[in-house]
Amino acid sequence: MKFENIRRLLSYARRAVDDYKMISDGDKIAVGVSGGKDSLALLAVMCDLRRFYPQKFEVCAITLDMGFEGSDMSSLENFYKGLGIEYRIVKTQLAEIIFDVRKESNPCSLCARMRRGILHDTAKEMGCNKIALGHHFDDVVDTFIMNLFNEGRIGTFSPVTFLDRKQITMIRPLVLAPEKDIKYFVKHNEIPVTKSLCPEDKNTDREKYKLMLAEMEKTNEGVRHRIFCAIKKAGLDGYETENK
């Protein structure tokens, strides 16, 4: 399967993979695919990257079916088959457990923990030593601001994280790619983006700070890039200057 206008995203991913030493020869990398634009764009990028990257690696995909009513994974399944990769769609009852049984007042936190556990276990079952997630440049900054405002904490997620208990490494190859470039890529390709069925979608703290930063950009153009540069200059969470 060929993708149009993928070079820009590939360039960002190649630089991030090199700068933060995300891939080694012989890796088997599971891409966690939610069905949203970011994770699907990442999967396309990883499949293209493996064709020419000096260190040879395998790519597979894992999707968790949350169990929401009306969930349909057929378009994703067809996409995976078109890419010719190994994949696994894991059916869960997370939606029922979180919203109906436990009636969580803060469902996102529990959901994230449970999804991570299933994703890690599935990746290990598939023989993977790494998991790639679709967090991008904007997410790095959004998370930094959310942690600062909500917890009074200076930090964000790391580009590479080794999970000692699971003996698996999390990588985020799109951390240098702006969201607008991901949107452009998805718009110009037949990417089967699926709408989130979660009732909390667009109603989270992350979305609040994302909108706040978008408003700030209108009067302070480049504010996201300046925040990201500050994160790098401070060497926060592994974002030190490249190749150091």
Side-chain angles (χ1 to χ4, degrees), residues 36-124:
K37 67 180 188 333
D38 304 330
S39 57
L40 283 167
L42 173 62
L43 180 60
V45 165
M46 294 297 285
C47 285
D48 257 35
L49 185 64
R50 68 177 171 167
R51 296 175 185 170
F52 63 85
Y53 196 66
Q55 279 72 47
K56 301 305 177 186
F57 64 95
E58 295 180 56
V59 176
C60 62
I62 299 172
T63 296
L64 305 187
D65 184 340
M66 296 285 291
F68 287 111
E69 186 177 351
S71 176
D72 182 4
M73 296 287 149
S74 57
S75 60
L76 275 179
E77 214 166 352
N78 292 333
F79 186 63
Y80 296 151
K81 290 175 181 176
L83 290 172
I85 60 169
E86 180 185 2
Y87 69 91
R88 191 171 297 184
I89 296 174
V90 184
K91 292 188 176 296
T92 77
Q93 295 178 309
L94 290 178
E96 180 183 358
I97 293 168
I98 293 166
F99 292 101
D100 299 333
V101 177
R102 297 188 54 146
K103 302 184 187 301
E104 286 288 316
S105 57
N106 180 24
C108 297
S109 178
L110 177 62
C111 181
R113 291 198 304 274
M114 295 180 75
R115 282 188 291 114
R116 281 197 299 268
I118 297 170
L119 180 62
H120 298 164
D121 290 343
T122 304
K124 294 294 287 186

